[in-house]
Amino acid sequence: MILDESITTALDSIKANLLRSLLTTIAIVIGTASVIAMVGIGSSAQRAIDDSITNVSARTLSVYPSRGRGSQKINSTPLTISDADALIEDNEINWRVSPEIRSSKSLKYGNESITISVIGGRKTYFDVQGYEIETGNFFTERDDLARKRVAVLGSNVGTELKTSSKMLIGKEVDMGGVTFKIIGALKPEGATGWSNPDDIIYVPLLTASDRLFGRDRVDSIRVEVPNTYTPEEAMISIERVLRREHDIGPGEENNFRINDWSQFTDLRKQATAIFSGLLIGIAGISLMVGGIGVMNIMLVSVTERTREIGLRKALGATQNAILLQFIIEAVTLCIIGGIIGVIFGSSLYFLVTVFQDWVFTIPFSAIIGSVIFSGCVGLFFGIWPAKKAAALDPAVALRFE
Amino acid sequence: MNVIKVNNITKHYLLGSQKVEALRGVTFGIRQGEFIAIMGPSGSGKSTLMNIIGCLDSPTNGTYHLNNKEVSTLEGDELAGIRNREIGFVFQNFHLLARNSALDNVMLPLKYAGFNRDDQLKKARETLSKVGLESRMNHQPSELSGGQQQRVAIARALVNNPSILFADEPTGNLDSQTGHDVMQLFHNLHQQGQTIILITHENEIAAEAQRVIYIKDGLIESDIKKDKV
Ligand SMILES: Nc1ncnc2c1ncn2[C@@H]1O[C@H](COP(=O)(O)OP(=O)(O)OP(=O)(O)O)[C@@H](O)[C@H]1O
Ligand SMILES: [Mg+2]
């Protein structure tokens, strides 16, 4: 009975000073809005990262030659096809190894001539990259060993030669003075980062090395590691093989680099963590400021309503009844702020999901949790003013002007 | 039988280093059903006395028995309980809750007494009818005249059947006709056996009581019982 009286009284007094009450709760609103936006954005970002990791069925590491520094540049040891073969022969981990040799060449067909990126690789190159054929065929391992002059086109190359990739199948083109037969064209893949696989022409590794570029130095070796191994385990194995191949003595530095692509996702995770931390900070400070604001407004309210408190006491209100009334007022104020904050926070989060093309999921527990937490802020900061009210001497309070 | 027995009550206030002796030894008894006026010049200690016998405050010295129970030694919530059950207050400036209806104002003491809502509503309606406001129950104080507001306050004071009804200058803020109506209400209540203690400046008002206690400088100057009016 006293409880429902306290709640109606609290709502009445909030309504009576609506503008003041709303202004008081702004910091609480910001606090809870940040919490909700943070939880939502955090979980969506996490989900996006998880998806991108599971999309790549296995983890891919890339090995590059060290970029020698200064005078060391001349001495820097290249990565070669035999390094790649050594990795293939090592059977500790059943990884897939895809060496890549890359350069630019002029490409002529009929009267058209363009400059194009050429990648030499094995059949595994397409598997590791996940490229699919649209028309014709990939080259095979036998094409590679026989150093056959065959090529597979990226999906744009045909149009760049003023024809279509389909039309070029079976035709011969001139690349750097060497004649190649086109045997296949890829499906469009879309640009990833700085290179566009659709603008590239692909030839067998040994053909590229012996007939086109005249070098057995490769630009990178991709190693696709099955899910049963961590990238760290794979790195240790790669290091072991390549250090042996390169005759690197104990204590000497590697003359190659291994990039773990999952580092990028780690980086993104880190960025998300920093972002969350920032929002937690904002939320914490806002709730703190909000709490102090509520305490201030409650002290004002207690002073303004001294005579009312005196009257209630004259009518028989116990100290606890008064205490409860003012605590409930503070808690209600903060919960209202919390609810408004949840609405603002979810809207903000919703906008972000629209722009980032993420899934919108706010855990119900986060909503309930942040509303309850703002209630607790009200409780914590409302206790002192409420105690002041409860301790008022009724005779003095009634005389108060 | 005495409802109230005060014995040599004093009340001192400290204003900084200065001691104000608001009451300097007051002794009297009040019987069940009496209608008493307390008079005296401003600052003589009337309100202080009402605060003490109304259990809003404790005396500095002396004893006070209410219904044969010593209450001068009680504090805080114990006094709150006694105020709730035994005492009804009517103030000069009504002291109604501005945002609550007449009915809600009258229900307030019953809420603190712990009655369920049905009983609260029933008793509050009955009491408002008793003071002639059955048609104004859902009005807010701002929608009522001064006399009506004071009658709401009287209903609130009576709703929990107190032993004593205190009224501190109940007509002080009312014009003479309305004041007269309110006094008529007090007479009716007195007729029904209600013990009433009324503080007033006005001789006319005091003249309507059965007994008049004059206070001056914190002491009883005279205590005059009259024959029935
Ligand atoms: N809380 C207090 N602190 C200090 N002094 C007080 C306090 N309450 C009353 N007094 C003093 O005690 C004396 C009696 O005051 P009281 O209010 O009882 O007078 P009163 O007879 O009711 O006067 P009035 O007719 O003007 O209402 C006054 O001198 C007053 O200033
Ligand atoms: Mg007075």
Side-chain angles (χ1 to χ4, degrees), chain A residues 104-120:
Chain A
S104 278
K105 288 284 169 200
S106 66
L107 179 67
K108 283 185 203 133
Y109 175 71
N111 294 328
E112 296 300 325
S113 174
I114 56 172
T115 302
I116 195 166
S117 279
V118 186
I119 287 180

PDB file of all heavy atoms in Angstrom, chain A residues 104-120:
ATOM      1  N   SER A 104      54.526  -8.384 -65.136  1.00  0.00           N
ATOM      2  CA  SER A 104      53.686  -7.728 -66.145  1.00  0.00           C
ATOM      3  C   SER A 104      54.222  -8.047 -67.532  1.00  0.00           C
ATOM      4  O   SER A 104      55.440  -8.087 -67.744  1.00  0.00           O
ATOM      5  CB  SER A 104      53.722  -6.207 -65.959  1.00  0.00           C
ATOM      6  OG  SER A 104      52.835  -5.839 -64.967  1.00  0.00           O
ATOM      7  N   LYS A 105      53.329  -8.271 -68.450  1.00  0.00           N
ATOM      8  CA  LYS A 105      53.737  -8.529 -69.832  1.00  0.00           C
ATOM      9  C   LYS A 105      52.766  -7.813 -70.754  1.00  0.00           C
ATOM     10  O   LYS A 105      51.655  -7.437 -70.342  1.00  0.00           O
ATOM     11  CB  LYS A 105      53.667 -10.045 -70.124  1.00  0.00           C
ATOM     12  CG  LYS A 105      54.755 -10.849 -69.439  1.00  0.00           C
ATOM     13  CD  LYS A 105      56.090 -10.685 -70.142  1.00  0.00           C
ATOM     14  CE  LYS A 105      57.216 -11.272 -69.281  1.00  0.00           C
ATOM     15  NZ  LYS A 105      58.530 -10.756 -69.648  1.00  0.00           N
ATOM     16  N   SER A 106      53.210  -7.653 -72.013  1.00  0.00           N
ATOM     17  CA  SER A 106      52.255  -7.132 -72.977  1.00  0.00           C
ATOM     18  C   SER A 106      51.502  -8.312 -73.568  1.00  0.00           C
ATOM     19  O   SER A 106      52.055  -9.400 -73.753  1.00  0.00           O
ATOM     20  CB  SER A 106      52.972  -6.345 -74.073  1.00  0.00           C
ATOM     21  OG  SER A 106      53.768  -7.237 -74.819  1.00  0.00           O
ATOM     22  N   LEU A 107      50.219  -8.093 -73.829  1.00  0.00           N
ATOM     23  CA  LEU A 107      49.370  -9.158 -74.348  1.00  0.00           C
ATOM     24  C   LEU A 107      48.753  -8.661 -75.648  1.00  0.00           C
ATOM     25  O   LEU A 107      48.156  -7.578 -75.682  1.00  0.00           O
ATOM     26  CB  LEU A 107      48.284  -9.484 -73.316  1.00  0.00           C
ATOM     27  CG  LEU A 107      47.279 -10.568 -73.696  1.00  0.00           C
ATOM     28  CD1 LEU A 107      47.967 -11.935 -73.777  1.00  0.00           C
ATOM     29  CD2 LEU A 107      46.160 -10.627 -72.664  1.00  0.00           C
ATOM     30  N   LYS A 108      48.949  -9.454 -76.707  1.00  0.00           N
ATOM     31  CA  LYS A 108      48.426  -9.029 -78.012  1.00  0.00           C
ATOM     32  C   LYS A 108      47.455 -10.061 -78.535  1.00  0.00           C
ATOM     33  O   LYS A 108      47.703 -11.267 -78.457  1.00  0.00           O
ATOM     34  CB  LYS A 108      49.566  -8.872 -79.024  1.00  0.00           C
ATOM     35  CG  LYS A 108      50.362  -7.601 -78.831  1.00  0.00           C
ATOM     36  CD  LYS A 108      51.393  -7.450 -79.959  1.00  0.00           C
ATOM     37  CE  LYS A 108      52.528  -6.546 -79.497  1.00  0.00           C
ATOM     38  NZ  LYS A 108      53.846  -7.124 -79.810  1.00  0.00           N
ATOM     39  N   TYR A 109      46.345  -9.558 -79.084  1.00  0.00           N
ATOM     40  CA  TYR A 109      45.406 -10.434 -79.787  1.00  0.00           C
ATOM     41  C   TYR A 109      44.852  -9.637 -80.945  1.00  0.00           C
ATOM     42  O   TYR A 109      44.265  -8.567 -80.742  1.00  0.00           O
ATOM     43  CB  TYR A 109      44.279 -10.900 -78.859  1.00  0.00           C
ATOM     44  CG  TYR A 109      43.242 -11.707 -79.595  1.00  0.00           C
ATOM     45  CD1 TYR A 109      43.540 -13.005 -80.040  1.00  0.00           C
ATOM     46  CD2 TYR A 109      41.986 -11.182 -79.862  1.00  0.00           C
ATOM     47  CE1 TYR A 109      42.610 -13.741 -80.734  1.00  0.00           C
ATOM     48  CE2 TYR A 109      41.045 -11.920 -80.551  1.00  0.00           C
ATOM     49  CZ  TYR A 109      41.368 -13.195 -80.991  1.00  0.00           C
ATOM     50  OH  TYR A 109      40.444 -13.924 -81.680  1.00  0.00           O
ATOM     51  N   GLY A 110      45.068 -10.133 -82.140  1.00  0.00           N
ATOM     52  CA  GLY A 110      44.666  -9.363 -83.312  1.00  0.00           C
ATOM     53  C   GLY A 110      45.404  -8.040 -83.311  1.00  0.00           C
ATOM     54  O   GLY A 110      46.622  -8.002 -83.156  1.00  0.00           O
ATOM     55  N   ASN A 111      44.631  -6.970 -83.416  1.00  0.00           N
ATOM     56  CA  ASN A 111      45.258  -5.652 -83.418  1.00  0.00           C
ATOM     57  C   ASN A 111      45.365  -5.036 -82.033  1.00  0.00           C
ATOM     58  O   ASN A 111      45.924  -3.974 -81.865  1.00  0.00           O
ATOM     59  CB  ASN A 111      44.485  -4.706 -84.340  1.00  0.00           C
ATOM     60  CG  ASN A 111      44.590  -5.163 -85.775  1.00  0.00           C
ATOM     61  OD1 ASN A 111      45.619  -5.741 -86.174  1.00  0.00           O
ATOM     62  ND2 ASN A 111      43.530  -4.925 -86.541  1.00  0.00           N
ATOM     63  N   GLU A 112      44.716  -5.730 -81.052  1.00  0.00           N
ATOM     64  CA  GLU A 112      44.705  -5.170 -79.690  1.00  0.00           C
ATOM     65  C   GLU A 112      45.969  -5.561 -78.949  1.00  0.00           C
ATOM     66  O   GLU A 112      46.460  -6.689 -79.059  1.00  0.00           O
ATOM     67  CB  GLU A 112      43.482  -5.683 -78.908  1.00  0.00           C
ATOM     68  CG  GLU A 112      42.150  -5.233 -79.477  1.00  0.00           C
ATOM     69  CD  GLU A 112      42.011  -3.719 -79.486  1.00  0.00           C
ATOM     70  OE1 GLU A 112      42.534  -3.069 -78.534  1.00  0.00           O
ATOM     71  OE2 GLU A 112      41.425  -3.178 -80.450  1.00  0.00           O
ATOM     72  N   SER A 113      46.467  -4.616 -78.146  1.00  0.00           N
ATOM     73  CA  SER A 113      47.630  -4.904 -77.316  1.00  0.00           C
ATOM     74  C   SER A 113      47.441  -4.203 -75.971  1.00  0.00           C
ATOM     75  O   SER A 113      47.146  -3.005 -75.926  1.00  0.00           O
ATOM     76  CB  SER A 113      48.893  -4.392 -78.013  1.00  0.00           C
ATOM     77  OG  SER A 113      50.000  -4.554 -77.144  1.00  0.00           O
ATOM     78  N   ILE A 114      47.568  -4.975 -74.870  1.00  0.00           N
ATOM     79  CA  ILE A 114      47.447  -4.362 -73.539  1.00  0.00           C
ATOM     80  C   ILE A 114      48.590  -4.843 -72.670  1.00  0.00           C
ATOM     81  O   ILE A 114      49.256  -5.836 -72.980  1.00  0.00           O
ATOM     82  CB  ILE A 114      46.101  -4.736 -72.862  1.00  0.00           C
ATOM     83  CG1 ILE A 114      45.948  -6.262 -72.783  1.00  0.00           C
ATOM     84  CG2 ILE A 114      44.915  -4.111 -73.599  1.00  0.00           C
ATOM     85  CD1 ILE A 114      44.770  -6.722 -71.968  1.00  0.00           C
ATOM     86  N   THR A 115      48.834  -4.117 -71.598  1.00  0.00           N
ATOM     87  CA  THR A 115      49.795  -4.592 -70.590  1.00  0.00           C
ATOM     88  C   THR A 115      48.991  -5.274 -69.494  1.00  0.00           C
ATOM     89  O   THR A 115      47.968  -4.742 -69.051  1.00  0.00           O
ATOM     90  CB  THR A 115      50.596  -3.415 -70.006  1.00  0.00           C
ATOM     91  OG1 THR A 115      51.242  -2.762 -71.084  1.00  0.00           O
ATOM     92  CG2 THR A 115      51.619  -3.904 -69.000  1.00  0.00           C
ATOM     93  N   ILE A 116      49.461  -6.433 -69.064  1.00  0.00           N
ATOM     94  CA  ILE A 116      48.636  -7.230 -68.162  1.00  0.00           C
ATOM     95  C   ILE A 116      49.491  -7.883 -67.089  1.00  0.00           C
ATOM     96  O   ILE A 116      50.687  -8.136 -67.301  1.00  0.00           O
ATOM     97  CB  ILE A 116      47.856  -8.294 -68.977  1.00  0.00           C
ATOM     98  CG1 ILE A 116      46.729  -8.890 -68.132  1.00  0.00           C
ATOM     99  CG2 ILE A 116      48.797  -9.383 -69.486  1.00  0.00           C
ATOM    100  CD1 ILE A 116      45.731  -9.666 -68.954  1.00  0.00           C
ATOM    101  N   SER A 117      48.913  -8.112 -65.941  1.00  0.00           N
ATOM    102  CA  SER A 117      49.583  -8.879 -64.889  1.00  0.00           C
ATOM    103  C   SER A 117      49.473 -10.357 -65.223  1.00  0.00           C
ATOM    104  O   SER A 117      48.389 -10.843 -65.538  1.00  0.00           O
ATOM    105  CB  SER A 117      48.898  -8.647 -63.542  1.00  0.00           C
ATOM    106  OG  SER A 117      49.332  -7.451 -62.978  1.00  0.00           O
ATOM    107  N   VAL A 118      50.621 -11.037 -65.142  1.00  0.00           N
ATOM    108  CA  VAL A 118      50.632 -12.477 -65.400  1.00  0.00           C
ATOM    109  C   VAL A 118      50.980 -13.173 -64.093  1.00  0.00           C
ATOM    110  O   VAL A 118      51.919 -12.780 -63.405  1.00  0.00           O
ATOM    111  CB  VAL A 118      51.687 -12.839 -66.465  1.00  0.00           C
ATOM    112  CG1 VAL A 118      51.573 -14.308 -66.831  1.00  0.00           C
ATOM    113  CG2 VAL A 118      51.545 -11.944 -67.676  1.00  0.00           C
ATOM    114  N   ILE A 119      50.198 -14.191 -63.761  1.00  0.00           N
ATOM    115  CA  ILE A 119      50.531 -14.989 -62.582  1.00  0.00           C
ATOM    116  C   ILE A 119      50.795 -16.405 -63.034  1.00  0.00           C
ATOM    117  O   ILE A 119      50.001 -16.999 -63.768  1.00  0.00           O
ATOM    118  CB  ILE A 119      49.389 -14.958 -61.539  1.00  0.00           C
ATOM    119  CG1 ILE A 119      49.365 -13.580 -60.851  1.00  0.00           C
ATOM    120  CG2 ILE A 119      49.561 -16.068 -60.501  1.00  0.00           C
ATOM    121  CD1 ILE A 119      48.292 -13.430 -59.808  1.00  0.00           C
ATOM    122  N   GLY A 120      51.960 -16.907 -62.590  1.00  0.00           N
ATOM    123  CA  GLY A 120      52.256 -18.298 -62.836  1.00  0.00           C
ATOM    124  C   GLY A 120      51.964 -19.084 -61.572  1.00  0.00           C
ATOM    125  O   GLY A 120      52.412 -18.718 -60.491  1.00  0.00           O
TER     126      GLY A 120
END
